[in-house]
Amino acid sequence: MFSQQIQLRGHIIDSLLLPKVLDEILTNGGQFTIREVKIGQQRTDPSHATIDVFAAIPEAVDNLIGRLRQHGAEVVKEEDVQLAEAPADGVFPEDFYVTTNQQTFVHLGGRWIEVMPATMDSGICVDVKTRTATTVKFSGVCKGMKFAVGHRGIRVMPVERALDRHSVFEFMASSVSSEKPKSAIIREVAAEFRLAKKSGGKILVVAGPAVVHTGAGEHFEKLIQWGYVDLLFAGNALATHDIENALFGTSLGVYLERGALADEGHENHMRAINVIRAVGGIRPAVEQGVLTSGIMFQCVRRNVDFVLAGSIRDDGPLPDVITDVVEAQKLMRSKVGDITIALMMGTMLHSIAVGNLLRAAVKTICVDINPSVVTKLADRGTFQAIGLVTDIEPFLRELTEFLAEEKPA
Amino acid sequence: MFSQQIQLRGHIIDSLLLPKVLDEILTNGGQFTIREVKIGQQRTDPSHATIDVFAAIPEAVDNLIGRLRQHGAEVVKEEDVQLAEAPADGVFPEDFYVTTNQQTFVHLGGRWIEVMPATMDSGICVDVKTRTATTVKFSGVCKGMKFAVGHRGIRVMPVERALDRHSVFEFMASSVSSEKPKSAIIREVAAEFRLAKKSGGKILVVAGPAVVHTGAGEHFEKLIQWGYVDLLFAGNALATHDIENALFGTSLGVYLERGALADEGHENHMRAINVIRAVGGIRPAVEQGVLTSGIMFQCVRRNVDFVLAGSIRDDGPLPDVITDVVEAQKLMRSKVGDITIALMMGTMLHSIAVGNLLRAAVKTICVDINPSVVTKLADRGTFQAIGLVTDIEPFLRELTEFLAEEKPA
Amino acid sequence: MFSQQIQLRGHIIDSLLLPKVLDEILTNGGQFTIREVKIGQQRTDPSHATIDVFAAIPEAVDNLIGRLRQHGAEVVKEEDVQLAEAPADGVFPEDFYVTTNQQTFVHLGGRWIEVMPATMDSGICVDVKTRTATTVKFSGVCKGMKFAVGHRGIRVMPVERALDRHSVFEFMASSVSSEKPKSAIIREVAAEFRLAKKSGGKILVVAGPAVVHTGAGEHFEKLIQWGYVDLLFAGNALATHDIENALFGTSLGVYLERGALADEGHENHMRAINVIRAVGGIRPAVEQGVLTSGIMFQCVRRNVDFVLAGSIRDDGPLPDVITDVVEAQKLMRSKVGDITIALMMGTMLHSIAVGNLLRAAVKTICVDINPSVVTKLADRGTFQAIGLVTDIEPFLRELTEFLAEEKPA
Amino acid sequence: MFSQQIQLRGHIIDSLLLPKVLDEILTNGGQFTIREVKIGQQRTDPSHATIDVFAAIPEAVDNLIGRLRQHGAEVVKEEDVQLAEAPADGVFPEDFYVTTNQQTFVHLGGRWIEVMPATMDSGICVDVKTRTATTVKFSGVCKGMKFAVGHRGIRVMPVERALDRHSVFEFMASSVSSEKPKSAIIREVAAEFRLAKKSGGKILVVAGPAVVHTGAGEHFEKLIQWGYVDLLFAGNALATHDIENALFGTSLGVYLERGALADEGHENHMRAINVIRAVGGIRPAVEQGVLTSGIMFQCVRRNVDFVLAGSIRDDGPLPDVITDVVEAQKLMRSKVGDITIALMMGTMLHSIAVGNLLRAAVKTICVDINPSVVTKLADRGTFQAIGLVTDIEPFLRELTEFLAEEKPA
């Protein structure tokens, strides 16, 4: 039997850490003895547990410790993080540590160093001289860079659930089904938006073409005009259908004013793309007076930064679309560092893609009429996302109504 | 080879009758020769086609003719409808004609008699003396009644699609997906509601508990107060959750004002049922001042007739619920004769059940966030239903906003 | 400040009881002090916690204690259950205790008495003389019966999660999405079925018409023939479509052998009902040689007990259908006492209805292609159900293949 | 009033062309007079109609004629196609003709020239010297190329529905719901696959990662081994999860053999990508013995051509993935010229993208558990696709079982 001693600290009871840890040990074939549990008298007092973890072979202990670290367990005598060199550009060393989107530290020379930024599915590049640790995606790996390997000397700090619930965003990984009332939640989202504006937060909106198809474009324009959008991530489809609507009054050939029943053919989106290609892009189209309304127009006029990322189903695309997906990822990643709220609407592809780039601390809300979008987003690691299963047009209508009640001066 | 000659009349080209008929013949192993086609010069001129239908055995011709009648084909020399006696109570004669929900006539003594009311999945009871023909469900069959058998002497008049589309209800069997704009359609539904009020139409609402869960109860109450609901069909759940909300402010234990995140336990719906059982029903509860708000309260106060039909998942049920489903069907059927518009919201069970009782001419709109409800409704014969895939709360909010713009004085 | 002391016993850490209790207290505005926590050294050792619960007014403490009892908390000095008389037939006394489907005890004359059977959404009728406690539904209440009121003297024992997971059924409230592999789980279900047969367990199948529509009828017949079905709960639709298939080879007018594309009209289900009504029921139809194959035939031949419960969308119905839903509930409830496994397939209505009748200890698996069925089942209290999001035909095909590998002799 | 005369030829009745055309005219504000209708005596005889189309202004007539051409109407005196030069690289001339995926001809110097290949959402580039016409996407436009503009001199030949239905693929735009039996259809798909192999057809498979997640990889490998896959289009996710399964036995961290309940963490897909990046790609991995099983391994071993197209949610990606989406589109388009059957499974993005590249004559079947994928595919122009709403694993299992019954020698 081999063993190692771990410690749990913090609100280990109410954050469910202790039971999760014990569960993890048993599930993976290990055994444990609880050496000590000290639980605070008041809920705000921190608690503490010391546990011996046993397994038949040393590798199994290591494996267990690796898992338990994900839950915040510390090995009592901490060793330094182990490093290995990338064998080639774009290739991590074998056994590289794969990050989550949670706050992570590496132990180096007796100190814990925070890994910045917290990004999932990356390696941890450690610069021993400057004592810095950075998350690096495959595309950023250069031969010879040093990466954390194994699980020793690495510590993850799970996002702690707040003791008092004054915000919808504390209900992480919840999904509000189509069967439940949504006004109260939308009101809270509005409150968070206002708070973000006041306190220097930054709001990212990730939007699919359904924002335009459902007729919600005008509400989204208001969000931009009122200063609630700091950054927009979308694809060719959102921009194309928005511009199609601005130029021809249709979206996918449907006249938005006359409704879904007046289908007018699918040519207009091709013509819209052609118009923008002819003038060289969205900004030139606005500057030359070709494009005078819509979401993209408002972004240009209000200097809202946007990234349009390509996909293989794109027609055109618009000149502004970044057709190389790795380049698009890099650009998006470079812009999300100070985002505090992410609102994702009507796009599974972009929501999951952007979820992969955000740290867990970003307050994330995902609105989709398809309940599986929210489920998949959480399944793929963006566990902090709150889901709202509803139609996008009424969601944005109600959100802007709440914001209008107390518009910033 | 055996054959029979049929005629098609009316707008056989633009109503797609001719191709459907030819298709049906070939699909079922028959052959045809077109004797004559006379197409009107203008679209409003009626057209006419005479077709010989061939098959190898007489039964196959009969079978074919039976099918073609569903599309409005007439046999040139019409014989009288064939009748047979019901062998026992609740049992149709063998080979009884099964109705659709379309206008149907039987040929008796040289005359075409309309079958009243047009109801699907029934037999046609013919009273030779009074020269009347009635649809009868299994439960209404008495030994010795005479029913139409086979397909001779029976003619179906399909609902004709209007030449000019001034109403959403002309797009039968369409479903408006969650991806499309809905405001234009909701505006048209509002216009139909206003028209119905002016012109003596009657509006039936079929509602599931999601009307209450989603927080749409207050909008529905307005519909009732403004006189837009002539008849309400629902189940124990709608009434219970409405009353739970009226008495305790919750629906399925969720405080509607505080939103989906404040789940308060599931006991209140049981207590709500108990309160109403104690006073003997919904009307007594209103009269004794126990129930002072909500959908059911408004129905009682406004004398809106309602039928609450039971289901095996009911708790309680409320004393007003008809627990025998055959009795509930009979009662509902007795009340829908003069209904001209049916609005179905958030209930697959009741929507399909009520769809089975309505004649095809009733303008039917089905609102559900689940696209399959609309599909199934059409699959099961209520082909005239328009589907709207959206959340119920914003649908009813927008509908009442449109109605409020031009409220009847 | 008012307070009461509670105790938690058992596996309070790994069953998440302790954190849930603390959470509940804070969420509902209370405060707590942990007096003592003793955690077993090994996971199999029981743990123990004593907690003081505080609130501003006595009623709030009572309310809190009421909630905490649902999680298994005991008040240290236990008082007897409080009883009140039913004021009328079918009406519980005010403030009656509403049951869950978990094992429940009442404290009477210094003893804990188990409430039998464990059924949700019922009252607890206590017979002081015989010292027995029974769950009673609204329909069973008679004036003068004594029912538990308030929360004192009542104790709920949550189903404990097993320490070792050797069965799929330990993953309560899990749903296996359409994206995940299902063979391993179906194999485990097969193993549970075999175990049930050997060890005297009883298997209940709840089935919707999709079992027939999807062409899975033949697999279901094998389950019956091999003795794996002890009880069948269904509606008119399952039986009608099964009999339609047996008599005419179609289901909802579709020839099952020729597939979904050969739609042959919707009359056959009406004729099937008529045939069975003419002979007086399913059993007479089998005995007279009218019905010679299919699910219902196999049930009659194998003496598998079945209950067909009516719904308002039924055509006919078949003479075997119980049209009064309260009667149907009572009959179903009277038959589920010794059921150990429930397999629910393709019916939201019947699954939720039957879920309401089962004690939490029944191993419950729900198979549906619609993910929301499983979610709703759990939402409405049948938290123990495992969901499997897949097509019914391949599920049953694979289940019978696994069972055939090791058929009972 | 302005007018133009059009002709309809072929099976204008049973293919519904005539009524569609009349409908289109009225819907768009035009008027018509039917000059002559000659309908064949037998269904196989061609029919013929001459119709005058009227509108108030010449542009409206042009617009109408443009619409009617989509349905196959010919203007009686045909003029040559009008050409205009592309004003810049990547920009079509204004008013360029936007193609559908149907067979299309341009009239040039008195002759009809077929546009090759038939691809939707393209322009028609006409080379007057060589008398050829080609579809060109935005990315292929070079300054000065001549493109068809307006609607004159262009004719579309809709795919005609066969008179005899001996194949599932004749039911274009149908979707087989989860409620219906699928064996018959899967058997027909198997027959088409065998026929394609015999008669020199080519089969394209478009596959999402659910093929691996659901445990269907082994069936898909058989398809490849038996020679039924000529071309594979997929994304990084399919290949990564297949390779993760081959190397570690997991897919998205789930052990496929042990089932969905044994979730083992999400790191393995990152390690799988790293392994392949280290050796330089999938083919080198196979050649060096690193990758010895799975879908991608079989493709390499059997020389099945594959294209992996990138998306912004990709991790890695694998070195074989084409990260520029416009390049990926071009490559895919270059390979689909001789494809006769397309099987799409479990990917909305790739299915719609590939649908955009296929001519309407390609027999297309789309398998997805989500009914909306099929609907969207048809909505976006791939109207010929047959949808099958079911789980992928049982679909592929049954397909391979049918193929195994009569395996090619």
Side-chain angles (χ1 to χ4, degrees), chain D residues 50 60 72 254:
Chain D
T50 308
V254 174

Side-chain angles (χ1 to χ4, degrees), chain D residues 333-351:
Chain D
R333 199 180 168 217
S334 75
K335 291 174 185 289
V336 298
D338 58 352
I339 290 301
T340 55
I341 296 182
L343 169 62
M344 298 166 167
M345 296 183 291
T347 164
M348 190 185 299
L349 175 66
H350 290 262
S351 296

Side-chain angles (χ1 to χ4, degrees), chain D residues 386-402:
Chain D
I386 306 299
L388 211 54
V389 180
T390 189
D391 229 346
I392 292 169
E393 193 274 335
F395 166 78
L396 274 181
R397 179 149 42 97
E398 198 159 0
L399 180 64
T400 49
E401 281 168 11
F402 284 139

Side-chain angles (χ1 to χ4, degrees), chain D residues 53-254:
Chain D
V53 181
F54 298 92
I57 53 169
E59 288 74 14
V61 177
D62 280 4
N63 177 277
L64 270 170
I65 299 296
R67 290 173 186 285
L68 301 182
R69 273 176 205 290
Q70 305 286 340
H71 298 296
E74 297 165 60
V75 171
V76 170
K77 282 193 187 169
E78 199 53 74
E79 297 171 72
D80 266 11
V81 63
Q82 287 192 300
L83 302 178
E85 290 195 0
D89 285 3
V91 182
F92 289 109
E94 259 190 82
D95 200 28
F96 70 109
Y97 180 87
V98 180
T99 57
T100 66
N101 60 2
Q102 310 221 53
Q103 200 184 14
T104 304
F105 295 81
V106 293
H107 198 257
L108 189 69
R111 277 207 211 153
W112 287 108
I113 299 165
E114 186 172 356
V115 182
M116 303 282 281
T119 314
M120 75 170 80
D121 289 339
S122 306
I124 298 175
C125 176
V126 178
D127 186 326
V128 179
K129 280 190 199 158
T130 61
R131 297 189 160 275
T132 52
T134 328
T135 43
V136 171
K137 293 261 175 191
F138 274 109
S139 60
V141 179
C142 299
K143 184 174 172 169
M145 275 183 174
K146 286 187 175 150
F147 285 93
V149 293
H151 289 280
R152 274 192 265 172
I154 298 171
R155 186 172 165 194
V156 173
M157 303 284 283
V159 173
E160 282 198 9
R161 200 172 49 151
L163 289 180
D164 50 340
R165 299 186 179 160
H166 41 247
S167 156
V168 60
F169 290 105
E170 324 237 327
F171 292 81
M172 295 188 285
S174 304
S175 178
V176 180
S177 83
S178 57
E179 274 197 316
K180 296 212 176 143
K182 289 164 206 85
S183 285
I185 295 160
I186 299 174
R187 190 177 287 278
E188 290 192 48
V189 173
E192 287 282 347
F193 269 42
R194 277 199 291 264
L195 187 68
K197 273 213 75 61
K198 271 190 221 154
S199 62
K202 295 278 183 203
I203 301 172
L204 162 66
V205 176
V206 182
V211 172
V212 180
H213 298 329
T214 60
E218 58 178 303
H219 312 308
F220 191 22
E221 290 178 49
K222 282 182 202 160
L223 278 192
I224 299 168
Q225 288 177 290
W226 298 345
Y228 286 114
V229 181
D230 295 293
L231 184 58
L232 170 65
F233 287 172
N236 187 58
L238 174 89
T240 296
H241 295 306
D242 169 60
I243 292 168
E244 178 192 340
N245 187 27
L247 298 182
F248 305 109
T250 61
S251 168
L252 261 183
V254 174

Side-chain angles (χ1 to χ4, degrees), chain B residues 149-302:
Chain B
V149 293
H151 289 279
R152 275 191 265 173
I154 298 171
R155 188 173 164 193
V156 173
M157 303 285 283
V159 174
E160 282 199 9
R161 200 171 48 149
L163 289 180
D164 50 340
R165 299 185 180 162
H166 40 247
S167 156
V168 60
F169 291 105
E170 324 238 328
F171 291 82
M172 294 188 285
S174 304
S175 178
V176 180
S177 84
S178 57
E179 275 196 315
K180 298 214 173 139
K182 287 163 208 86
S183 285
I185 295 161
I186 298 174
R187 190 177 287 279
E188 291 193 46
V189 173
E192 288 281 347
F193 269 42
R194 278 199 291 263
L195 187 69
K197 273 213 75 62
K198 269 188 224 156
S199 62
K202 296 278 183 202
I203 299 172
L204 162 66
V205 176
V206 181
V211 172
V212 181
H213 298 329
T214 60
E218 57 178 304
H219 312 308
F220 191 24
E221 289 177 49
K222 283 183 202 160
L223 278 191
I224 298 168
Q225 288 177 290
W226 298 345
Y228 286 115
V229 181
D230 295 292
L231 184 58
L232 169 65
F233 287 173
N236 187 58
L238 174 88
T240 295
H241 296 306
D242 169 60
I243 292 167
E244 179 191 339
N245 187 28
L247 298 181
F248 305 108
T250 61
S251 169
L252 261 184
V254 174
Y255 276 107
L256 290 179
E257 275 184 32
R258 289 161 50 190
L261 301 171
D263 195 322
E264 296 292 320
H266 282 193
E267 298 177 9
N268 285 348
H269 82 280
M270 293 291 290
R271 301 202 188 288
I273 295 167
N274 202 48
V275 165
I276 303 302
R277 287 176 75 103
V279 295
I282 293 171
R283 181 167 290 278
V286 172
E287 286 165 353
Q288 296 172 30
V290 170
L291 185 65
T292 59
S293 66
I295 296 166
M296 300 316 301
F297 166 78
Q298 294 293 353
C299 284
V300 170
R301 216 180 55 164
R302 295 272 160 177

